Amino acid sequence: MTTAAIIVAAGRGTRAGGDIPKQWQIIGGRPVAAHAMARFANHPAITQLILVLHPDDIDTPLWPREPAATIVAGGATRAASVQAGLAAAGPDIDTVLIHDAARPLISDAVIDRVLAALATSVGAAPALVVTDTLWHGAEATVTGVQDRTGLFRAQTPQGFHLGPLREAHAASTGQETDDVAVARAAGLDVSIVAGDEANIKITTPEDFVRAAELMRHTMTSLPDIRCGNGYDVHRFGPGDHVWLCGVQIPHTRSLQGHSDADVGMHAVTDAIYGALGKGDIGQHFPPSDPQWKGAASHIFLEHAVALAASQGFSIGNADCTLVCEYPKIGPHHDAMKAVMSAYMGIESDRISVKATTSEKLGFTGREEGIAAIATVTLIKP
Ligand code: MG
C-alpha cells in the first residue's frame, strides 16, 4: 500500500476571525496547516504529501515551504479541491488520506488506525461516539430530545482506495460536505475507526485558544530544544605545542592537564552534558582514574555526542570562544571546524570557533593559561 496525504487548505475560514485564513494563522510557533503537514510528512507510511491551496494563496508567502509537498490549486467547492488533490497523486499511489488543514492535532495513532482499516475496507474514517444529550430547540427553548444512539462526530483524515474514490468524485453532485458522503453516494462502504478528542477542527477564535492549550499538554508538534553552556581553563607549563579544538598548534609552552588539556573541546563537551542535565567531563571521566591520563579529548566529546544521541537528541549548533593572547587562532580556524564537525557528526557550518584576547588583563592576558566558553543546542524533533 503506497499512500498519499492530501491536506485541504483552500478554504477562507471566515468564522475563525483574523486578517488571514485560519489555516495560515500561527499557533504553537507555526501556521495551523504546518502542524498536520509535518505529522503526515514524518509518518513512515506516507510517500507523497499533497497541499491543496486557494488559487489566491499560491503566490503568497503564507504557506509553509517545508516539508516539501505537491502544490495544487483548489476549486470553487471543497469537492472540487479534493478532486484537484486526487488528480495530483503519483502513479504509484493506491490509497489516499484526505485531511482538513484546520485539524493541527492529528496524531500518528489516528493515522495508523485509518491505514490499518484500509487493508480490509475501501474507505475508513475516524469518529467519536456522541455522548452529550442532543436537543432540538427553537428560539432558545428546548422542543425535543434527539436519540443519540448510533450517532458519531466525524473527523479526518478520511482514507480511501484511490481508484474507487476518483470514480465516486467523478459521479458526485459536488454538494457533499465530506469525502465519506461522496463515497457513500457511490455505494462504497466506509469503516469507522476511533477518533481522538484532541483532533479538533479549528473553526472559531475560541478553538485557537483550546488547540494551543492542547499542544502545550501533548507536545505533539513542538520539538524539545535544549541549550547548554560550558567553561574551562587550563594553565600553561613547559612544552612546545597546545591542542585546541582538536588541532595541534606549535607554541612556546603547552597547556597542563590530566588529558591533552584541549580547553576548547572540553568547553563544548561540557555544554553538551549541560544541555542534557548530565553533569560534566569530570563526572564521566574522573581525573583520579589513571586510564584517562594523557587521553585525547575527542574521547570525551564523542561520549557526550553519543549520550545525546542515545536520548534522541541531535546537535543543532555549537559556538566556542577561545580566550588567549597567543597562539593566534585565525590560521587554524577552518581546521578546527573540520575536526570538531567530524567528531560531532554535523556539518561544519553548524560549528563556530572564535577567539578573543582579554586585552592583556587577567590570567589570560598575562598568558598564564587559556580559557574557553561554549554554547551548544540540542534538538529532539
Ligand atoms: Mg578541562
Side-chain angles (χ1 to χ4, degrees):
M1 204 160 80
T2 54
T3 306
I6 301 175
I7 310 286
V8 185
R12 297 285 85 184
T14 50
R15 278 180 292 171
D19 295 331
I20 59 174
K22 63 180 178 182
Q23 64 271 32
W24 310 133
Q25 294 183 36
I26 302 298
I27 186 169
R30 48 186 167 162
V32 168
H35 293 274
M37 289 172 67
R39 179 65 57 196
F40 284 100
N42 291 332
H43 193 289
I46 305 299
T47 55
Q48 184 185 10
L49 183 65
I50 299 169
L51 180 62
V52 184
L53 298 173
H54 192 285
D56 291 349
D57 290 346
I58 288 182
D59 292 328
T60 72
L62 286 172
W63 52 277
R65 267 55 175 179
E66 294 287 332
T70 305
I71 303 301
V72 178
T77 63
R78 185 183 186 286
S81 293
V82 171
Q83 286 166 22
L86 294 174
D92 55 330
I93 297 295
D94 50 31
T95 54
V96 291
L97 301 182
I98 301 162
H99 187 69
D100 291 329
R103 293 186 190 270
L105 284 144
I106 179 63
S107 66
D108 283 347
V110 172
I111 295 171
D112 289 343
R113 288 198 283 271
V114 174
L115 289 171
L118 287 178
T120 54
S121 184
V122 69
L128 294 166
V129 172
V130 173
T131 54
D132 292 328
T133 295
L134 297 176
W135 291 335
H136 294 278
E139 295 175 6
T141 302
V142 177
T143 58
V145 176
Q146 172 70 45
D147 180 6
R148 64 178 181 233
T149 308
L151 291 183
F152 290 83
R153 292 185 283 142
Q155 298 188 334
T156 71
Q158 300 182 345
F160 303 92
H161 289 243
L162 178 57
L165 185 66
R166 274 182 172 153
E167 290 171 19
H169 266 282
S172 81
T173 63
Q175 301 307 307
E176 294 87 350
T177 56
D178 71 358
D179 300 286
V180 168
V182 171
R184 291 198 68 256
L188 303 179
D189 286 333
V190 180
S191 299
I192 301 173
V193 301
D196 179 357
E197 285 289 355
N199 185 24
I200 62 171
K201 182 176 185 176
I202 292 180
T203 306
T204 66
E206 293 73 27
D207 293 335
F208 275 97
V209 177
R210 188 167 160 229
E213 189 67 19
L214 285 165
M215 278 180 192
R216 265 194 294 280
H217 284 300
T218 62
M219 297 291 285
T220 52
S221 305
L222 304 178
D224 188 354
I225 298 176
R226 306 285 186 87
C227 185
N229 70 61
Y231 176 73
D232 196 28
V233 173
H234 283 265
R235 70 169 63 242
F236 278 124
D240 60 5
H241 68 274
V242 294
W243 284 96
L244 290 172
C245 291
V247 175
Q248 188 178 31
I249 302 172
H251 192 48
T252 54
R253 283 169 291 171
S254 289
L255 292 172
Q256 307 298 295
H258 195 69
S259 66
D260 64 13
D262 188 333
V263 65
M265 201 174 276
H266 291 183
V268 171
T269 303
D270 270 347
I272 297 171
Y273 288 133
L276 293 169
K278 295 285 182 188
D280 56 23
I281 293 177
Q283 186 176 324
H284 294 281
F285 301 92
S288 55
D289 187 337
Q291 70 171 308
W292 308 123
K293 181 156 181 58
S297 294
H298 65 79
I299 294 170
F300 312 149
L301 178 59
E302 289 171 312
H303 176 268
V305 171
L307 185 63
S310 74
Q311 301 196 7
F313 287 96
S314 56
I315 294 168
N317 74 303
D319 184 15
C320 178
T321 300
L322 300 165
V323 185
C324 58
E325 303 291 329
Y326 293 99
K328 289 298 173 198
I329 304 302
H332 308 286
H333 164 265
D334 289 345
M336 289 175 175
K337 285 178 54 143
V339 170
M340 294 292 282
S341 73
Y343 287 132
M344 298 172 76
I346 58 176
E347 305 91 328
S348 63
D349 65 2
R350 291 177 180 273
I351 294 176
S352 158
V353 179
K354 330 194 279 301
T356 183
T357 72
S358 50
E359 298 283 328
K360 300 203 179 296
L361 298 172
F363 69 86
T364 52
R366 293 188 297 270
E367 299 183 50
E368 295 166 0
I370 297 179
I373 186 168
T375 303
V376 168
T377 55
L378 302 182
I379 302 171
K380 189 193 303 192

